């Protein structure tokens, strides 16, 4: 399984939730899912100058499936409609093979 740990600065929770709702069926079509999802009130240390107020893991059976998901035209339309209006910045904290 391939997993990414991601930090976001979400500026509009309602629009971001609409993004999550719209993209989830596409995510599931690629056998993807969210593992953890946190709202963060305080970042004590960061290697990035970008703000982070949301942290989550997103996972797929393989890294190739993740790439196909993020390249999917329907996903990209949803991202443009919702994500870009609700998220100020994205920090990819880590990507790794996860062995369960």
């Amino acid at each position: 399984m391939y997993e990414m740990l991601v930090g976001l600065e979400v500026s509009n929770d309602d629009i971001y939730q609409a993004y999550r709702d719209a993209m989830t069926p596409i995510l599931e079509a690629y056998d993807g899912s969210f593992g953890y999802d946190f709202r963060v009130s305080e970042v004590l240390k960061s290697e990035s100058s970008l703000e982070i107020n949301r942290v989550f893991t997103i996972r797929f059976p393989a890294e190739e499936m993740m790439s196909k998901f993020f390249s999917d035209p329907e996903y990209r339309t949803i991202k443009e409609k919702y994500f870009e209006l609700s998220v100020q910045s994205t920090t990819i904290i880590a990507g790794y093979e996860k062995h369960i």
Side-chain angles (χ1 to χ4, degrees):
M1 173 181 300
Y2 188 79
E3 186 171 76
M4 278 196 321
L5 178 61
V6 181
L8 301 177
E9 181 185 3
V10 176
S11 59
N12 186 308
D13 284 324
D14 293 335
I15 296 173
Y16 183 72
Q17 187 58 52
Y19 160 76
R20 282 282 188 101
D21 293 342
M23 61 79 82
T24 296
I26 302 166
L27 176 68
E28 291 172 350
Y30 286 92
D31 293 326
S33 63
F34 293 101
Y36 293 92
D37 191 6
F38 305 99
R39 284 195 174 104
V40 179
S41 61
E42 183 179 12
V43 176
L44 300 175
K45 181 171 174 52
S46 178
E47 294 181 4
S48 170
S49 63
L50 300 173
E51 297 292 321
I52 295 174
N53 61 11
R54 186 90 175 236
V55 175
F56 63 90
T57 59
I58 186 169
R59 56 190 177 199
F60 296 87
E63 190 173 1
E64 298 79 32
M65 291 294 281
M66 180 191 70
S67 295
K68 288 179 182 179
F69 165 74
F70 284 117
S71 298
D72 182 284
E74 187 178 356
Y75 167 75
R76 295 178 71 73
T77 298
I78 290 167
K79 181 181 178 187
E80 184 178 323
K81 183 176 181 180
Y82 299 107
F83 187 89
E84 293 176 10
L85 295 175
S86 63
V87 175
Q88 295 299 309
S89 63
T90 302
T91 304
I92 304 301
I93 298 169
Y96 46 87
E97 289 291 330
K98 182 174 182 176
H99 304 281
I100 309 175

